[in-house]
Amino acid sequence: MRLVPRLSQRLRSRVLGTAAAALVLPVAAGVAGTTAAVAAPAQSAPIAHSAPAGGFEEVFVDSDMGPIKVQIQWAARGGDAALYLLDGLRARDDANAWTFETNALTQFANDNVSLIMPVGGESSFYTDWYSPSNLNGQDVTYKWETFLTQQLPEYLATRGVSPNNNGILGLSMGGSAALTLAAYHRDQFKFASSLSGYLNLSAPGMREAIRVAMLDAGRYNVDSMWGPPWSPAWLRNDPFVFAPKLEGLSLYISAASGLPGQHDNPKGLTGFYNTGNAMGLEALSLVQTRAFQVKLATLGIDASFDFPARGTHAWKYWEDQLWKARPQILDALNAH
């Protein structure tokens, strides 16, 4: 896959340091097949008795950020369970990368769980920001936690999705965000998964690395998100800190070694640079995920961990991990 749009821009980013470069996440490439957009019904509409039985739909749901596009694959038999799939740092505005970088839709096509794939949120960490980013002219304040835990569930309830029988899974930026949202909204989520996430944001150098990564991915100012590094919001959103809140959740957490594997086939200078970047990204995630595994063990919290011997920070490896997590997801949500 292509991790960067312009080689020269990425090469210049090397001077910012290895730790910072390790957080620059891959750009999704490709075009998703879409259907006509459907306006969301009023939030006051009555709760539906069941979800549509199968099919793919795109809707726009009202939020504090304006209408948000959401791609949905409905549960095969109209069940009320849902799995939220979160994107990475470079989330696009036209489609959630799970729909075109992976075979996620095919994996769950015959299962009784709806896939909920919000679109947008580049560099957002799917959190509520303090203010718009003042470095890139952002005209709205990100309020993703509010959207994903209040406004979107309210809309989905009108389509037959339970507000309480949900799972959430994300990769990289979306991995740490998935655990955060599940930890603080236990009434909504029964399952949470981080794939190649960064799970110790208070580790030395991490806050500075996130700052540089977000500047690279859209020129976003991290101070507009959680404030300066000493702000309590950083601790509030650090999985290593809030880990006790995860007790009782069904958890699936993975990170690979960073060594190139079956899905890596670099070609040319750009390809080799991209693969090298993906290796560094995954190696950092592995270190943090291993530390998080020890943290949960000391707390006596059960979780399923998977550490493939080979694999880089790339979509096809996350596709593989989604397939591995699928039985646990279906069990947790009673969605077979």
Side-chain angles (χ1 to χ4, degrees):
M1 64 172 288
R2 186 181 64 197
L3 293 176
V4 289
R6 294 183 297 275
L7 178 59
S8 59
Q9 175 183 351
R10 286 295 187 177
L11 289 175
R12 288 196 299 270
S13 72
R14 288 185 179 180
V15 299
L16 298 174
T18 301
L23 282 214
V24 179
L25 306 188
V27 178
V31 178
T34 59
T35 60
V38 180
Q43 297 291 340
S44 59
I47 295 177
H49 292 296
S50 63
F56 180 86
E57 187 176 0
E58 293 182 342
V59 300
F60 285 86
V61 181
D62 288 338
S63 79
D64 294 343
M65 301 174 284
I68 299 296
K69 184 177 182 179
V70 182
Q71 298 175 294
I72 304 172
Q73 177 172 277
W74 295 107
R77 293 173 293 285
D80 69 356
L83 175 66
Y84 290 57
L85 294 176
L86 303 184
D87 217 323
L89 194 73
R90 295 181 182 276
R92 295 183 358 181
D93 290 332
D94 59 340
N96 184 306
W98 283 104
T99 66
F100 61 89
E101 290 283 13
T102 76
N103 64 358
L105 302 182
T106 301
Q107 286 190 28
F108 287 87
N110 296 318
D111 297 319
N112 209 23
V113 57
S114 296
L115 300 184
I116 310 299
M117 297 159 286
V119 176
E122 181 183 41
S123 289
S124 69
F125 277 82
Y126 294 103
T127 190
D128 285 357
W129 286 39
Y130 287 137
S131 62
S133 174
N134 58 358
L135 299 179
N136 60 1
Q138 188 180 24
D139 57 1
V140 298
T141 301
Y142 274 150
K143 295 294 181 183
W144 278 97
E145 182 169 353
T146 295
F147 176 67
L148 293 171
T149 62
Q150 296 180 34
Q151 293 150 347
L152 181 54
E154 287 174 0
Y155 165 73
L156 292 172
T158 71
R159 306 296 304 276
V161 175
S162 169
N164 312 114
N165 190 27
N166 302 283
I168 187 165
L169 177 149
L171 69 303
S172 203
M173 172 191 84
S176 58
L179 297 188
T180 302
L181 293 167
Y184 290 103
H185 301 277
R186 294 295 302 274
D187 58 334
Q188 182 177 358
F189 298 108
K190 295 180 177 179
F191 169 89
S193 175
S194 167
L195 309 182
S196 305
Y198 299 100
L199 308 182
N200 188 0
L201 303 186
S202 300
M206 281 299 296
R207 297 181 186 188
E208 294 78 7
I210 290 172
R211 177 182 297 277
V212 176
M214 289 172 57
L215 286 171
D216 186 83
R219 294 188 296 114
Y220 287 89
N221 183 1
V222 71
D223 291 338
S224 300
M225 181 171 71
W226 293 329
W230 53 87
S231 169
W234 281 90
L235 297 178
R236 190 257 182 192
N237 289 279
D238 185 347
F240 207 80
V241 174
F242 66 66
K245 294 182 178 293
L246 297 171
E247 184 174 8
L249 273 169
S250 177
L251 298 169
Y252 184 93
I253 301 170
S254 76
S257 65
L259 296 174
Q262 61 178 333
H263 300 307
D264 295 292
N265 185 28
K267 296 180 180 179
L269 182 59
T270 301
F272 280 101
Y273 175 74
N274 291 343
T275 298
N277 190 42
M279 292 169 64
L281 285 161
E282 197 66 14
L284 178 59
S285 174
L286 175 63
V287 170
Q288 296 225 327
T289 303
R290 283 291 192 184
F292 191 71
Q293 181 185 33
V294 173
K295 176 73 171 183
L296 291 190
T298 62
L299 295 170
I301 296 176
D302 292 330
S304 298
F305 283 89
D306 189 58
F307 298 102
R310 289 190 174 272
T312 62
H313 213 69
W315 277 102
K316 285 302 177 182
Y317 295 110
W318 299 321
E319 175 183 282
D320 293 345
Q321 286 298 318
L322 180 64
W323 180 252
K324 287 183 179 182
R326 177 174 159 272
Q328 185 174 337
I329 294 168
L330 299 179
D331 286 345
L333 305 181
N334 192 24
H336 289 279

